[in-house]
Protein backbone atom coordinates (compact mmCIF):
# COMPACT_ATOMS: atom_id res chain seq x y z
CA UNK A 1 0.00 0.00 0.00
CA UNK A 2 1.24 3.51 -0.72
CA UNK A 3 1.01 6.35 1.83
CA UNK A 4 -2.39 7.53 0.51
CA UNK A 5 -3.90 4.03 0.71
CA UNK A 6 -2.50 3.51 4.20
CA UNK A 7 -3.97 6.84 5.26
CA UNK A 8 -7.37 5.92 3.82
CA UNK A 9 -7.38 2.53 5.55
CA UNK A 10 -6.26 3.93 8.92
CA UNK A 11 -8.73 6.85 8.73
CA UNK A 12 -11.63 4.50 7.97
CA UNK A 13 -10.72 2.31 10.92
CA UNK A 14 -10.15 5.16 13.37
CA UNK A 15 -13.26 7.10 12.37
CA UNK A 16 -15.33 4.05 13.33
CA UNK A 17 -13.48 3.47 16.61
CA UNK A 18 -15.85 5.07 19.11
CA UNK A 19 -13.59 4.44 22.12
CA UNK A 20 -10.70 6.26 20.45
CA UNK A 21 -12.94 9.17 19.52
CA UNK A 22 -14.32 9.43 23.04
CA UNK A 23 -10.81 9.51 24.55
CA UNK A 24 -9.44 12.25 22.32
CA UNK A 25 -12.60 14.32 22.33
CA UNK A 26 -12.56 14.31 26.12
CA UNK A 27 -8.91 15.41 26.11
CA UNK A 28 -9.59 18.13 23.55
CA UNK A 29 -12.69 19.26 25.48
CA UNK A 30 -10.53 19.81 28.59
CA UNK A 31 -7.99 21.64 26.47
CA UNK A 32 -10.66 23.87 24.86
CA UNK A 33 -11.95 24.99 28.26
CA UNK A 34 -8.41 25.82 29.49
CA UNK A 35 -7.52 27.76 26.33
CA UNK A 36 -10.75 29.76 26.37
CA UNK A 37 -9.93 30.82 29.93
CA UNK A 38 -6.28 31.46 29.06
CA UNK A 39 -7.17 33.84 26.25
CA UNK A 40 -9.12 36.06 28.65
CA UNK A 41 -5.81 36.92 30.37
CA UNK A 42 -4.78 38.88 27.29
CA UNK A 43 -6.16 42.39 27.11
CA UNK A 44 -6.46 41.97 23.31
CA UNK A 45 -5.96 38.43 22.01
CA UNK A 46 -6.45 39.36 18.34
CA UNK A 47 -3.88 42.14 18.58
CA UNK A 48 -1.44 39.75 20.28
CA UNK A 49 -1.85 37.31 17.35
CA UNK A 50 -1.22 40.09 14.84
CA UNK A 51 1.88 41.25 16.68
CA UNK A 52 3.25 37.67 16.87
CA UNK A 53 2.55 37.18 13.15
CA UNK A 54 4.50 40.37 12.47
CA UNK A 55 7.50 39.13 14.51
CA UNK A 56 7.56 35.85 12.64
CA UNK A 57 7.02 37.57 9.27
CA UNK A 58 10.00 39.82 9.94
CA UNK A 59 12.16 36.83 10.90
CA UNK A 60 11.23 34.55 8.03
CA UNK A 61 11.58 37.32 5.45
CA UNK A 62 15.10 38.11 6.73
CA UNK A 63 16.02 34.61 7.78
CA UNK A 64 19.49 34.66 6.21
CA UNK A 65 20.47 37.69 8.30
CA UNK A 66 19.01 36.38 11.56
CA UNK A 67 20.55 32.93 11.15
CA UNK A 68 24.02 34.40 10.63
CA UNK A 69 23.57 36.73 13.61
CA UNK A 70 22.48 33.76 15.74
CA UNK A 71 25.47 31.68 14.62
CA UNK A 72 27.91 34.52 15.42
CA UNK A 73 26.47 34.92 18.91
CA UNK A 74 26.51 31.17 19.71
CA UNK A 75 30.18 30.99 18.72
CA UNK A 76 30.99 34.15 20.72
CA UNK A 77 29.36 32.48 23.73
CA UNK A 78 31.58 29.40 23.33
CA UNK A 79 29.12 27.14 21.51
CA UNK A 80 29.43 25.38 18.17
CA UNK A 81 27.04 25.48 15.22
CA UNK A 82 26.39 22.85 12.57
CA UNK A 83 24.40 23.72 9.44
CA UNK A 84 22.52 20.56 8.51
CA UNK A 85 20.97 20.64 5.07
CA UNK A 86 19.34 17.24 5.50
CA UNK A 87 18.28 14.90 8.29
CA UNK A 88 21.21 12.70 7.31
CA UNK A 89 23.65 15.63 7.85
CA UNK A 90 22.20 16.25 11.33
CA UNK A 91 22.39 12.59 12.31
CA UNK A 92 25.93 12.28 11.00
CA UNK A 93 27.12 15.28 13.05
CA UNK A 94 25.57 14.14 16.29
CA UNK A 95 26.64 10.48 15.94
CA UNK A 96 30.22 11.46 15.09
CA UNK A 97 30.29 13.76 18.13
CA UNK A 98 28.85 11.01 20.36
CA UNK A 99 31.38 8.50 19.09
CA UNK A 100 34.32 10.91 19.55
CA UNK A 101 33.28 11.51 23.17
CA UNK A 102 32.52 7.87 23.93
CA UNK A 103 28.84 8.55 24.66
CA UNK A 104 26.89 5.48 25.76
CA UNK A 105 23.65 6.99 27.03
CA UNK A 106 21.70 10.08 25.89
CA UNK A 107 18.81 11.78 27.66
CA UNK A 108 16.37 13.59 25.38
CA UNK A 109 13.74 16.17 26.11
CA UNK A 110 10.65 16.47 23.96
CA UNK A 111 11.52 17.57 20.44
CA UNK A 112 9.55 17.07 17.25
CA UNK A 113 12.67 17.98 15.26
CA UNK A 114 14.46 14.91 16.63
CA UNK A 115 11.40 12.86 15.65
CA UNK A 116 11.64 14.37 12.18
CA UNK A 117 15.22 13.16 11.72
CA UNK A 118 14.57 9.75 13.38
CA UNK A 119 17.34 10.33 15.89
CA UNK A 120 16.39 7.59 18.35
CA UNK A 121 16.64 4.92 15.66
CA UNK A 122 20.04 6.30 14.60
CA UNK A 123 21.32 6.23 18.20
CA UNK A 124 20.08 2.67 18.72
CA UNK A 125 21.66 1.58 15.48
CA UNK A 126 24.99 3.03 16.66
CA UNK A 127 24.75 1.18 20.00
CA UNK A 128 23.90 4.32 22.00
CA UNK A 129 20.95 4.24 24.39
CA UNK A 130 18.51 7.17 23.92
CA UNK A 131 16.09 7.80 26.80
CA UNK A 132 13.08 10.07 26.36
CA UNK A 133 12.57 12.07 29.55
CA UNK A 134 9.30 13.91 28.85
CA UNK A 135 6.69 11.70 30.50
CA UNK A 136 4.51 11.47 27.39
CA UNK A 137 7.49 10.77 25.14
CA UNK A 138 8.81 8.20 27.65
CA UNK A 139 5.47 6.36 27.40
CA UNK A 140 5.65 6.53 23.59
CA UNK A 141 9.17 5.12 23.71
CA UNK A 142 8.10 2.22 25.93
CA UNK A 143 5.22 1.49 23.54
CA UNK A 144 7.47 1.90 20.47
CA UNK A 145 4.93 4.38 19.09
CA UNK A 146 5.47 7.80 17.52
CA UNK A 147 3.94 10.82 19.32
CA UNK A 148 0.23 11.10 18.64
CA UNK A 149 0.16 14.92 18.84
CA UNK A 150 2.89 17.57 18.59
CA UNK A 151 2.20 18.87 22.12
CA UNK A 152 0.43 15.98 23.85
CA UNK A 153 2.20 12.80 22.72
CA UNK A 154 -0.16 10.35 24.46
CA UNK A 155 -3.44 12.17 24.11
CA UNK A 156 -4.99 8.94 22.83
CA UNK A 157 -4.26 6.93 26.01
CA UNK A 158 -6.30 6.57 29.16
CA UNK A 159 -4.82 6.23 32.64
CA UNK A 160 -5.45 2.47 32.44
CA UNK A 161 -3.59 2.24 29.10
CA UNK A 162 -0.59 3.97 30.67
CA UNK A 163 -0.69 1.72 33.73
CA UNK A 164 -0.66 -1.27 31.40
CA UNK A 165 2.38 0.21 29.58
CA UNK A 166 4.16 0.47 32.95
CA UNK A 167 3.06 -3.11 33.78
CA UNK A 168 1.09 -1.78 36.76
CA UNK A 169 -2.49 -2.58 37.87
CA UNK A 170 -5.19 -0.62 36.05
CA UNK A 171 -6.18 1.01 39.34
CA UNK A 172 -2.74 2.67 39.82
CA UNK A 173 -3.10 6.41 40.42
CA UNK A 174 -1.54 9.05 38.15
CA UNK A 175 0.73 10.10 41.04
CA UNK A 176 2.03 6.55 41.51
CA UNK A 177 2.75 6.21 37.81
CA UNK A 178 4.52 9.57 37.73
CA UNK A 179 6.68 8.59 40.70
CA UNK A 180 7.54 5.31 38.98
CA UNK A 181 8.69 7.14 35.82
CA UNK A 182 10.48 9.78 37.88
CA UNK A 183 12.58 7.18 39.72
CA UNK A 184 13.65 5.61 36.42
CA UNK A 185 14.38 8.93 34.75
CA UNK A 186 16.38 10.44 37.65
CA UNK A 187 18.82 7.60 37.28
CA UNK A 188 19.06 8.24 33.55
CA UNK A 189 19.83 11.96 34.06
CA UNK A 190 22.63 11.12 36.48
CA UNK A 191 24.29 8.60 34.20
CA UNK A 192 23.83 10.16 30.73
CA UNK A 193 26.84 11.42 28.79
CA UNK A 194 24.88 13.70 26.46
CA UNK A 195 21.64 15.68 26.59
CA UNK A 196 19.66 16.34 23.41
CA UNK A 197 16.93 18.97 23.20
CA UNK A 198 15.03 20.87 20.56
CA UNK A 199 14.26 24.57 20.95
CA UNK A 200 10.99 26.43 20.95
CA UNK A 201 12.76 29.59 19.85
CA UNK A 202 16.31 30.54 18.84
CA UNK A 203 17.07 34.15 19.71
CA UNK A 204 19.22 35.92 17.09
CA UNK A 205 20.40 38.91 19.12
CA UNK A 206 21.75 36.83 22.04
CA UNK A 207 22.52 33.44 20.48
CA UNK A 208 20.31 31.73 23.06
CA UNK A 209 17.81 28.96 22.67
CA UNK A 210 14.54 29.09 24.59
CA UNK A 211 12.91 25.91 25.86
CA UNK A 212 9.39 25.70 27.20
CA UNK A 213 8.24 22.71 29.27
CA UNK A 214 6.21 21.62 32.30
CA UNK A 215 8.18 18.80 33.88
CA UNK A 216 11.70 20.16 34.41
CA UNK A 217 13.08 17.25 32.41
CA UNK A 218 14.45 19.49 29.64
CA UNK A 219 16.30 21.55 32.25
CA UNK A 220 17.88 18.38 33.68
CA UNK A 221 18.64 17.09 30.15
CA UNK A 222 20.69 20.13 29.22
CA UNK A 223 22.30 20.83 32.59
CA UNK A 224 23.41 17.45 34.02
CA UNK A 225 25.24 15.74 31.14
CA UNK A 226 28.54 17.27 30.03
CA UNK A 227 27.46 17.74 26.40
CA UNK A 228 24.31 19.49 25.22
CA UNK A 229 23.16 19.24 21.61
CA UNK A 230 20.14 21.28 20.50
CA UNK A 231 18.52 20.42 17.19
CA UNK A 232 16.77 23.50 15.91
CA UNK A 233 14.69 23.90 12.76
CA UNK A 234 15.80 27.12 11.04
CA UNK A 235 12.26 28.51 11.27
CA UNK A 236 12.58 28.68 15.08
CA UNK A 237 14.54 31.95 14.87
CA UNK A 238 13.18 35.12 16.41
CA UNK A 239 14.99 38.46 16.22
CA UNK A 240 15.14 39.68 19.81
CA UNK A 241 15.13 38.37 23.37
CA UNK A 242 12.31 40.82 24.13
CA UNK A 243 10.04 39.04 21.61
CA UNK A 244 9.68 36.21 24.13
CA UNK A 245 7.59 38.51 26.30
CA UNK A 246 4.80 37.93 23.81
CA UNK A 247 5.74 34.57 22.25
CA UNK A 248 6.14 32.60 25.48
CA UNK A 249 2.64 33.35 26.85
CA UNK A 250 1.10 33.10 23.39
CA UNK A 251 2.60 29.63 22.89
CA UNK A 252 1.60 28.33 26.31
CA UNK A 253 -1.92 29.78 26.07
CA UNK A 254 -2.52 28.22 22.65
CA UNK A 255 -0.73 25.00 23.55
CA UNK A 256 -2.23 24.17 26.93
CA UNK A 257 -4.17 27.20 28.19
CA UNK A 258 -1.46 28.00 30.76
CA UNK A 259 -0.41 31.65 31.24
CA UNK A 260 3.18 30.35 31.10
CA UNK A 261 4.51 26.82 31.25
CA UNK A 262 6.09 25.75 34.53
CA UNK A 263 9.67 25.99 33.25
CA UNK A 264 11.05 28.42 30.67
CA UNK A 265 14.79 28.20 30.13
CA UNK A 266 17.27 30.25 28.12
CA UNK A 267 20.52 28.51 27.23
CA UNK A 268 23.29 30.78 26.08
CA UNK A 269 26.27 28.48 25.72
CA UNK A 270 28.43 26.13 27.77
CA UNK A 271 29.76 26.81 31.26
CA UNK A 272 31.83 30.01 31.30
CA UNK A 273 35.05 30.31 33.28
CA UNK A 274 34.29 30.84 36.95
CA UNK A 275 30.81 29.27 36.68
CA UNK A 276 30.33 26.34 39.07
CA UNK A 277 28.09 24.19 36.86
CA UNK A 278 26.69 23.68 33.38
CA UNK A 279 27.74 21.73 30.32
CA UNK A 280 31.25 21.79 28.93
CA UNK A 281 30.05 21.65 25.32
CA UNK A 282 27.08 23.31 23.64
CA UNK A 283 26.26 22.38 20.02
CA UNK A 284 23.42 23.80 17.97
CA UNK A 285 22.39 21.95 14.83
CA UNK A 286 20.50 24.28 12.51
CA UNK A 287 18.27 22.00 10.48
CA UNK A 288 16.99 22.81 6.99
CA UNK A 289 15.59 19.45 5.79
CA UNK A 290 13.29 21.02 3.19
CA UNK A 291 12.53 24.27 5.00
CA UNK A 292 14.38 26.45 2.48
CA UNK A 293 12.22 24.92 -0.26
CA UNK A 294 9.21 26.28 1.59
CA UNK A 295 11.03 29.56 2.19
CA UNK A 296 11.51 29.94 -1.57
CA UNK A 297 7.74 29.66 -2.08
CA UNK A 298 6.49 33.21 -1.50
CA UNK A 299 2.85 32.06 -1.49
CA UNK A 300 3.28 29.53 1.32
CA UNK A 301 6.36 30.82 3.15
CA UNK A 302 4.30 31.89 6.13
CA UNK A 303 3.78 28.23 7.04
CA UNK A 304 7.29 28.61 8.52
CA UNK A 305 5.83 31.00 11.11
CA UNK A 306 4.45 28.00 13.02
CA UNK A 307 5.41 27.90 16.71
CA UNK A 308 4.12 24.30 17.10
CA UNK A 309 1.45 25.07 19.66
CA UNK A 310 -0.84 22.27 18.41
CA UNK A 311 -3.98 24.45 18.47
CA UNK A 312 -4.85 23.74 14.83
CA UNK A 313 -4.83 19.99 15.51
CA UNK A 314 -7.23 20.40 18.41
CA UNK A 315 -9.56 22.58 16.35
CA UNK A 316 -9.63 20.29 13.32
CA UNK A 317 -12.80 18.17 12.93
CA UNK A 318 -10.84 15.67 10.81
CA UNK A 319 -8.04 15.27 13.38
CA UNK A 320 -10.64 14.84 16.13
CA UNK A 321 -12.09 11.86 14.28
CA UNK A 322 -9.12 10.11 12.72
CA UNK A 323 -6.45 10.95 15.34
CA UNK A 324 -2.74 11.67 15.06
CA UNK A 325 -1.25 8.31 14.09
CA UNK A 326 -3.38 8.08 10.96
CA UNK A 327 -1.34 10.83 9.30
CA UNK A 328 1.88 8.75 9.62
CA UNK A 329 3.87 11.99 9.55
CA UNK A 330 5.97 13.82 12.17
CA UNK A 331 3.66 16.84 12.06
CA UNK A 332 -0.03 15.93 12.01
CA UNK A 333 -3.27 17.80 11.49
CA UNK A 334 -3.66 20.98 9.42
CA UNK A 335 -0.08 22.29 9.79
CA UNK A 336 1.28 18.84 9.00
CA UNK A 337 -0.85 18.61 5.86
CA UNK A 338 0.46 22.02 4.79
CA UNK A 339 4.18 21.47 5.38
CA UNK A 340 4.71 17.72 4.87
CA UNK A 341 4.35 17.78 1.06
CA UNK A 342 7.04 20.50 1.09
CA UNK A 343 9.38 18.90 3.62
CA UNK A 344 9.03 15.38 2.27
CA UNK A 345 8.05 13.88 -1.08
CA UNK A 346 5.36 16.10 -2.67
CA UNK A 347 3.78 13.22 -4.60
CA UNK A 348 3.80 10.67 -1.80
CA UNK A 349 2.13 13.08 0.65
CA UNK A 350 -0.15 14.86 -1.84
CA UNK A 351 -3.23 13.18 -0.32
CA UNK A 352 -2.87 15.03 3.02
CA UNK A 353 -4.37 18.42 2.07
CA UNK A 354 -7.46 16.61 0.77
CA UNK A 355 -8.13 15.32 4.30
CA UNK A 356 -9.76 18.56 5.33
CA UNK A 357 -13.24 20.02 5.36
CA UNK A 358 -11.67 23.47 4.69
CA UNK A 359 -13.87 24.83 7.48
CA UNK A 360 -11.14 27.29 8.51
CA UNK A 361 -11.23 26.43 12.24
CA UNK A 362 -7.45 25.93 12.11
CA UNK A 363 -6.86 29.41 10.69
CA UNK A 364 -9.14 30.94 13.33
CA UNK A 365 -7.13 29.52 16.23
CA UNK A 366 -3.59 29.88 14.92
CA UNK A 367 -1.77 32.29 17.27
CA UNK A 368 0.54 33.48 14.47
CA UNK A 369 -2.27 33.85 11.93
CA UNK A 370 -1.13 31.28 9.39
CA UNK A 371 -3.77 31.06 6.68
CA UNK A 372 -3.88 27.29 7.03
CA UNK A 373 -7.00 26.39 5.11
CA UNK A 374 -5.96 28.47 2.11
CA UNK A 375 -2.56 26.74 2.19
CA UNK A 376 -4.39 23.41 2.14
CA UNK A 377 -6.14 24.63 -0.99
CA UNK A 378 -2.81 25.75 -2.47
CA UNK A 379 -1.41 22.27 -1.85
CA UNK A 380 -4.46 20.71 -3.52
CA UNK A 381 -4.01 22.96 -6.52
CA UNK A 382 -0.28 22.12 -6.69
CA UNK A 383 -1.04 18.39 -6.50
CA UNK A 384 -3.57 18.63 -9.35
CA UNK A 385 -1.30 20.82 -11.49
CA UNK A 386 1.53 18.31 -11.08
CA UNK A 387 -0.77 15.43 -12.02
CA UNK A 388 -0.70 13.77 -8.58
CA UNK A 389 -4.48 13.41 -8.33
CA UNK A 390 -6.32 10.19 -9.23
CA UNK A 391 -7.25 9.92 -12.96
CA UNK A 392 -10.85 9.00 -12.05
CA UNK A 393 -11.14 12.08 -9.86
CA UNK A 394 -9.84 14.26 -12.69
CA UNK A 395 -12.35 12.67 -15.07
CA UNK A 396 -15.20 13.26 -12.59
CA UNK A 397 -14.32 16.95 -12.30
CA UNK A 398 -14.07 17.30 -16.10
CA UNK A 399 -17.54 15.78 -16.46
CA UNK A 400 -18.84 18.03 -13.73
CA UNK A 401 -17.36 21.11 -15.46
CA UNK A 402 -18.88 20.02 -18.76
CA UNK A 403 -22.29 19.55 -17.14
CA UNK A 404 -22.08 22.87 -15.28
CA UNK A 405 -21.64 24.70 -18.58
CA UNK A 406 -24.83 23.26 -20.09
CA UNK A 407 -28.23 23.83 -18.43
CA UNK A 408 -29.64 20.72 -20.16
CA UNK A 409 -26.82 18.46 -18.99
CA UNK A 410 -26.92 19.97 -15.52
CA UNK A 411 -30.61 19.21 -15.25
CA UNK A 412 -30.20 15.71 -16.60
CA UNK A 413 -27.28 15.06 -14.24
CA UNK A 414 -29.37 16.24 -11.28
CA UNK A 415 -32.19 13.88 -12.23
CA UNK A 416 -29.84 10.92 -12.64
CA UNK A 417 -28.06 11.61 -9.36
CA UNK A 418 -31.34 11.61 -7.46
CA UNK A 419 -31.80 7.97 -8.39
CA UNK A 420 -28.15 6.89 -8.13
CA UNK A 421 -27.21 4.93 -4.99
CA UNK A 422 -24.63 6.98 -3.02
CA UNK A 423 -22.49 4.01 -1.96
CA UNK A 424 -19.67 3.92 -0.90
CA UNK A 425 -20.38 7.37 0.59
CA UNK A 426 -23.32 6.05 2.62
CA UNK A 427 -21.41 3.02 3.89
CA UNK A 428 -20.10 5.08 6.81
CA UNK A 429 -22.34 8.16 6.68
CA UNK A 430 -26.00 9.09 6.82
CA UNK A 431 -27.38 10.63 3.68
CA UNK A 432 -30.89 12.11 3.52
CA UNK A 433 -33.30 10.78 0.95
CA UNK A 434 -33.16 13.13 -2.06
CA UNK A 435 -36.54 14.74 -2.85
CA UNK A 436 -38.31 13.39 -5.92
CA UNK A 437 -38.57 16.89 -7.36
CA UNK A 438 -35.56 19.16 -7.98
CA UNK A 439 -35.53 22.75 -6.73
CA UNK A 440 -35.61 23.97 -10.32
CA UNK A 441 -38.76 21.95 -11.05
CA UNK A 442 -40.31 23.14 -7.81
CA UNK A 443 -39.48 26.74 -8.63
CA UNK A 444 -40.94 26.55 -12.13
CA UNK A 445 -44.10 24.93 -10.83
CA UNK A 446 -44.57 27.50 -8.08
CA UNK A 447 -43.67 30.43 -10.30
CA UNK A 448 -46.53 29.53 -12.58
CA UNK A 449 -49.02 29.79 -9.73
CA UNK A 450 -50.93 33.05 -9.61
S1 LIG B 1 0.02 26.29 12.48
FE1 LIG B 1 -0.55 27.77 14.06
S2 LIG B 1 -2.08 26.67 15.30
FE2 LIG B 1 -0.99 25.09 14.11
S3 LIG B 1 0.65 24.39 15.44
FE3 LIG B 1 1.50 26.03 14.16
S4 LIG B 1 1.25 27.90 15.37
FE4 LIG B 1 -0.07 26.36 16.29
Amino acid sequence: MNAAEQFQAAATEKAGDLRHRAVIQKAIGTYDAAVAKGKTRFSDWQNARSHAAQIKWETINHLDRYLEQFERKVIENGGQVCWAETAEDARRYILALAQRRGVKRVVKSKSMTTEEIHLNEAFEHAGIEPIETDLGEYICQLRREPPYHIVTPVMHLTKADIAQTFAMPATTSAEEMTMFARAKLRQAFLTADMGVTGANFAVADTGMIAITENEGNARLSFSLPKIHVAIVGIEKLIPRLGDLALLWPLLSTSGTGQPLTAYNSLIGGPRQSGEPDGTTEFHVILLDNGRTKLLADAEQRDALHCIRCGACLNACPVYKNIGGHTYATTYQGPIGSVITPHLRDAKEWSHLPFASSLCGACTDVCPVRIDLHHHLLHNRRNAVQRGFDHPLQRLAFRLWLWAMKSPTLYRLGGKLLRFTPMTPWTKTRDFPEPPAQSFKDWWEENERRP
Side-chain angles (χ1 to χ4, degrees), residues 150 306-313 335 362 365-368 370 372:
I150 60 176
C306 176
I307 57 172
R308 306 275 188 264
C309 70
C312 58
L313 281 65
I335 185 61
C362 47
V365 297
C366 178
V368 286
I370 301 173
L372 287 155

Side-chain angles (χ1 to χ4, degrees), residues 43-315:
S43 58
D44 188 338
W45 174 251
Q46 297 306 338
N47 193 29
R49 291 174 74 208
S50 300
H51 190 179
Q54 179 61 33
I55 293 169
K56 288 302 292 186
W57 187 93
E58 180 195 347
T59 322
I60 296 300
N61 281 277
H62 301 98
L63 194 56
D64 51 345
R65 173 149 55 85
Y66 286 121
L67 280 167
E68 285 177 1
Q69 186 186 10
F70 176 76
E71 180 193 33
R72 264 198 316 278
K73 287 284 171 189
V74 171
I75 294 170
E76 270 172 36
N77 296 341
Q80 297 177 54
V81 175
C82 160
W83 295 83
E85 195 179 329
T86 62
E88 177 57 32
D89 292 342
R91 287 193 299 264
R92 200 178 309 120
Y93 180 90
I94 194 165
L95 288 178
L97 175 68
Q99 274 152 4
R100 278 201 307 279
R101 302 289 185 268
V103 170
K104 295 273 177 292
R105 175 176 276 182
V106 174
V107 278
K108 282 184 68 234
S109 72
K110 182 172 161 24
S111 154
M112 295 310 293
T113 318
T114 62
E115 293 290 333
E116 180 185 329
I117 66 168
H118 303 292
L119 188 58
N120 282 357
E121 293 87 332
F123 275 139
E124 283 170 4
H125 196 250
I128 297 167
E129 185 191 13
I131 302 174
E132 294 289 350
T133 62
D134 170 87
L135 184 55
E137 293 282 346
Y138 178 60
I139 295 164
C140 287
Q141 191 178 27
L142 291 179
R143 296 171 66 90
R144 307 294 295 178
E145 275 181 3
Y148 180 89
H149 184 284
I150 60 176
V151 173
T152 326
V154 289
M155 179 190 263
H156 61 306
L157 298 181
T158 62
K159 200 151 62 68
D161 295 329
I162 296 168
Q164 192 188 35
T165 306
F166 286 166
M168 293 172 125
T171 49
T172 311
S173 71
E175 288 73 19
E176 284 168 322
M177 285 190 266
T178 309
M179 292 315 289
F180 168 80
R182 183 188 164 103
K184 296 254 176 214
L185 293 174
R186 285 285 148 151
Q187 200 49 36
F189 288 124
L190 293 170
T191 52
D193 314 292
M194 177 186 274
V196 173
T197 69
N200 296 98
F201 302 101
V203 186
D205 69 351
T206 60
M208 290 170 158
I209 61 165
I211 298 183
T212 284
E213 51 151 346
N214 274 316
E215 297 169 21
N217 64 298
R219 195 167 275 189
L220 291 172
S221 297
F222 66 71
S223 56
L224 287 181
K226 292 266 175 287
I227 307 164
H228 174 200
V229 182
I231 305 182
V232 183
I234 54 173
E235 81 285 9
K236 293 293 177 74
L237 263 285
I238 56 169
R240 298 157 293 266
L241 190 61
D243 295 327
L244 289 172
L246 172 64
L247 292 170
W248 260 342
L250 201 76
L251 172 60
S252 54
T253 301
S254 291
T256 57
Q258 293 168 279
L260 273 178
T261 51
Y263 298 89
N264 286 286
S265 308
L266 284 164
I267 301 116
R271 178 194 307 184
Q272 304 294 309
S273 80
E275 286 182 351
D277 51 22
T279 54
T280 52
E281 288 185 52
F282 175 55
H283 299 255
V284 179
I285 299 178
L286 290 171
L287 182 71
D288 178 345
N289 208 27
R291 288 160 172 81
T292 46
K293 248 192 327 175
L294 192 49
L295 185 68
D297 182 341
E299 186 179 50
Q300 292 193 264
R301 179 179 299 159
D302 71 336
L304 292 171
H305 295 187
C306 176
I307 57 172
R308 306 275 188 264
C309 70
C312 58
L313 281 65
N314 299 333

Side-chain angles (χ1 to χ4, degrees), residues 289-418:
N289 208 27
R291 288 160 172 81
T292 46
K293 248 192 327 175
L294 192 49
L295 185 68
D297 182 341
E299 186 179 50
Q300 292 193 264
R301 179 179 299 159
D302 71 336
L304 292 171
H305 295 187
C306 176
I307 57 172
R308 306 275 188 264
C309 70
C312 58
L313 281 65
N314 299 333
C316 177
V318 175
Y319 182 92
K320 280 193 252 197
N321 282 288
I322 66 172
H325 286 156
T326 299
Y327 292 84
T329 54
T330 308
Y331 306 103
Q332 315 91 353
I335 185 61
S337 299
V338 169
I339 63 175
T340 305
H342 293 271
L343 300 186
R344 292 167 75 173
D345 185 87
K347 184 173 183 191
E348 190 181 356
W349 301 99
S350 60
H351 58 283
L352 291 177
F354 292 89
S356 166
S357 65
L358 298 178
C359 65
C362 47
T363 303
D364 287 347
V365 297
C366 178
V368 286
R369 291 197 183 279
I370 301 173
D371 195 353
L372 287 155
H373 67 297
H374 280 109
H375 287 323
L376 290 168
L377 265 178
H378 296 145
N379 278 358
R380 288 187 187 189
R381 179 206 58 204
N382 294 346
V384 171
Q385 282 178 351
R386 292 176 196 172
F388 299 158
D389 54 333
H390 196 285
L392 280 178
Q393 187 184 3
R394 209 171 320 146
L395 178 68
F397 275 111
R398 289 225 168 104
L399 288 173
W400 179 75
L401 179 69
W402 185 48
M404 286 296 283
K405 286 177 174 168
S406 155
T408 315
L409 282 177
Y410 181 81
R411 204 166 179 180
L412 182 67
K415 277 202 168 67
L416 285 175
L417 276 178
R418 264 200 304 287

